[in-house]
Amino acid sequence: MSTPSGPASIRRSGPTSRPRSWSDPRLRRASSPDSDFLQLDFTRPEGYAAIREWRQGAGRPMVVYLSVAAKIYGDICRHLEAGGCLDDESRVVVEKPIGYDLASSTEINDAIGAVFPESRIYRIDHYLGKETVQNLIALRFANPLFGTQWNQNHISHVEITVAEQVGIEGRWGYFDDAGQLRDMVQNHLLQLVCLIAMDPPANLDADAIRDEKVKVLKALKPFTDDMLGRDVVRGQYTAGTIDGRSVPGYLEEEGANTESHTESFVAMKTGVANWRWAGVPFYLRTGKRMPEKLSQIVIHFRQQPHYIFDPDQRGLAANKLVIRLQPEEGIALEVLTKDSGLDKGMRLRRGPLHLEFNSAFPKTRIPDAYERLLLEVMKGQQYLFVRRDEVEHAWQWCDNLIAAWEERDEPPRRYPAGSWGPVASIAMITQDGRSW
Ligand code: BG6
């Protein structure tokens, strides 16, 4: 893979490699029995002729995977087109974040769109390639049990946590411009919200699914100024300990600007303003340097309308569906049963009905998200990729929040690495009588 300032590398695999003439001495190449490697400076239009030459007679569509900064996507696409490298089947794969806000994402999408039609643009959000994320579709739309319960009549609130132990992994330059909202919420968490909240698509076609996701993004509640202090918490980690290991604070990371107000943690209470979800809070939180790596969605069902068991057990009386994305992908439905034993009377006990994928289906390998996504690109299937209007509606919603933050200009709240974020993020949910 290349870096924004480095050379582009194009690799072709398969034992069918054949000798080619490389007319430009500035190009570097290498071959092995199962791959070709061509290195060129992607800012120089003249180098692209070598790709055309290299592709001649390949007999299969070209997939261009751009692992570079998004602002360069357009230039590369233009050079590929001008260099005669593309045909009607060529596809381009790009990574999030597409831009920094709505305006920049529009510019980038326009530039890619001037060369590739939407049907051949594959915008990766690698969360969509995760097994359990796709399972949300199966769980919701293949099981009548959930299908009939999936609305504000039966669900009291939804909780999504995407926690990471890692810090910014030497990516200060990128991360400090982005922050956790742009890096994680604008894409991964909003995609999860979409899959939980969307209406059933008419079928599994890419556009049928994406049309429904867009409706959710359009219905996301915008933040007003009075909600900021109450319903959104921004945090930044300080030095701390994770798994017994000391780790530096955000401002002590390599290359850090010690004045930075960039958030490495966000928690928020939001919602989807439509008939299905009216009045159901969606609590989202995501952060770096948390005590463990954990991505999970918890659907909290409402209490029974009339309660007949011991009053002191009232707090137990609600079902929870826990969808674990990582680690240990699985689904658990927490149900109440009678506590066993002669002395227990009708005391209740909570226990999970558990489906842990690794143990339930031991012979099935769970593929890596990228493995699946790249395969889908080759097959020409777009349902796991993000359409342009999804990206833009997601930015629109985030831009509104970022503008309000900028107006307030408050520093993020500190939290020690190895904790679950600022205390205020816990207060945010407990003020509603709930907990993470
Ligand atoms: C990336 C973000 O998209 O997702 C990273 O840029 C983050 O900051 C990563 O660490 C998390 O992915 P996963 O699959 O490990 O949850």
Side-chain angles (χ1 to χ4, degrees):
M1 286 192 196
S2 54
T3 58
S5 54
S9 315
I10 300 97
R11 190 179 269 274
R12 180 174 174 200
S13 52
T16 52
S17 309
R18 60 206 146 76
R20 276 172 215 96
S21 62
W22 305 95
S23 44
D24 187 335
R26 286 168 304 199
L27 303 178
R28 284 183 43 206
R29 69 172 172 120
S31 304
S32 74
D34 51 20
S35 71
D36 283 348
F37 174 86
L38 165 64
Q39 182 171 322
L40 60 92
D41 178 347
F42 58 59
T43 61
R44 300 172 70 103
E46 60 275 19
Y48 288 74
I51 301 180
R52 187 186 59 229
E53 193 186 323
W54 174 76
R55 284 281 306 155
Q56 262 164 24
R60 54 189 167 190
M62 173 156 78
V63 173
V64 183
Y65 179 104
L66 299 180
S67 179
V68 298
K71 59 179 187 245
I72 313 171
Y73 291 161
D75 287 345
I76 297 182
C77 291
R78 260 202 324 279
H79 294 328
L80 283 165
E81 186 180 43
C85 310
L86 305 176
D87 60 27
D88 286 351
E89 288 194 275
S90 307
R91 295 151 206 182
V92 66
V93 185
V94 291
E95 287 275 357
K96 59 115 294 219
I98 311 276
Y100 180 80
D101 52 15
L102 178 60
S104 55
S105 95
T106 306
E107 213 172 289
I108 293 163
N109 279 322
D110 281 348
I112 306 172
V115 176
F116 289 92
E118 184 65 30
S119 60
R120 287 192 276 116
I121 302 174
Y122 292 76
R123 295 181 192 83
I124 287 192
D125 180 314
H126 76 277
Y127 268 55
L128 294 180
K130 291 183 191 280
E131 185 80 5
T132 326
V133 174
Q134 285 166 49
N135 241 318
L136 283 171
I137 294 183
L139 193 71
R140 286 197 52 201
F141 304 128
N143 293 289
L145 173 67
F146 296 123
T148 53
Q149 307 290 305
W150 214 260
N151 56 48
Q152 47 85 20
N153 289 326
H154 303 283
I155 292 177
S156 77
H157 62 288
V158 175
E159 198 192 315
I160 303 179
T161 296
V162 177
E164 296 180 86
Q165 279 192 324
V166 294
I168 48 166
E169 304 287 272
R171 298 185 302 156
W172 221 87
Y174 155 73
F175 189 86
D176 197 58
D177 276 346
Q180 197 74 353
L181 183 81
R182 291 184 174 94
D183 187 47
M184 297 294 288
V185 179
Q186 190 271 345
N187 33 80
H188 305 323
L189 275 91
L190 288 189
Q191 283 294 326
L192 297 179
V193 170
C194 285
L195 292 174
I196 294 165
M198 72 187 199
D199 278 350
N203 51 49
L204 288 179
D205 288 352
D207 280 335
I209 294 177
R210 299 188 297 182
D211 287 347
E212 296 305 331
K213 289 200 284 171
V214 166
K215 287 185 205 160
V216 173
L217 292 166
K218 284 183 176 170
L220 282 177
K221 281 192 181 165
F223 286 99
T224 51
D225 193 51
D226 59 310
M227 291 155 88
L228 278 194
R230 201 185 57 217
D231 293 346
V232 190
V233 177
R234 297 172 74 229
Q236 190 185 74
Y237 60 86
T238 54
T241 310
I242 298 182
D243 284 348
R245 192 172 49 94
S246 300
V247 296
Y250 181 77
L251 300 181
E252 294 133 31
E253 294 278 5
E254 200 188 326
N257 151 17
T258 53
E259 305 287 303
S260 172
H261 280 182
T262 298
E263 78 286 350
S264 58
F265 173 96
V266 196
M268 59 177 68
K269 173 181 166 184
T270 183
V272 181
N274 62 19
W275 279 48
R276 185 186 283 272
W277 295 109
V280 178
F282 280 63
Y283 299 95
L284 317 183
R285 74 175 162 168
T286 176
K288 308 246 181 262
R289 292 291 192 217
M290 309 263 99
E292 57 184 284
K293 182 167 178 74
L294 171 72
S295 300
Q296 76 175 18
I297 299 165
V298 187
I299 310 290
H300 295 262
F301 290 91
R302 289 194 189 283
Q303 306 262 1
Q304 290 285 43
H306 179 62
Y307 184 79
I308 57 173
F309 300 93
D310 289 348
D312 68 313
Q313 290 202 294
R314 213 173 239 282
L316 281 178
N319 298 125
K320 275 203 277 186
L321 177 67
V322 181
I323 303 158
R324 174 74 72 99
L325 310 182
Q326 59 190 21
E328 287 144 26
E329 295 90 337
I331 295 166
L333 178 63
E334 290 199 4
V335 293
L336 295 170
T337 56
K338 186 189 133 1
D339 205 354
S340 354
L342 290 175
D343 56 337
K344 298 290 182 355
M346 266 318 252
R347 295 292 289 175
L348 301 175
R349 148 176 92 180
R350 186 195 282 284
L353 297 177
H354 224 153
L355 180 63
E356 220 169 70
F357 294 159
N358 274 332
S359 44
F361 312 112
K363 295 213 172 91
T364 319
R365 182 179 69 89
I366 297 184
D368 176 75
Y370 273 91
E371 189 181 348
R372 179 192 309 278
L373 292 173
L374 294 178
L375 200 62
E376 295 298 324
V377 179
M378 291 180 227
K379 291 197 290 195
Q381 299 285 356
Q382 282 193 308
Y383 74 108
L384 296 180
F385 298 86
V386 185
R387 205 169 60 189
R388 175 176 180 155
D389 49 353
E390 290 180 72
V391 176
E392 294 182 347
H393 285 294
W395 273 127
Q396 209 164 356
W397 184 80
C398 287
D399 281 0
N400 161 273
L401 177 55
I402 292 166
W405 278 347
E406 283 173 356
E407 176 107 343
R408 286 199 161 204
D409 195 23
E410 284 173 359
R413 294 167 192 266
R414 313 286 171 201
Y415 63 96
S419 71
W420 284 103
V423 177
S425 67
I426 296 166
M428 184 190 87
I429 192 165
T430 48
Q431 77 195 352
D432 292 347
R434 296 170 174 143
S435 59
W436 291 107

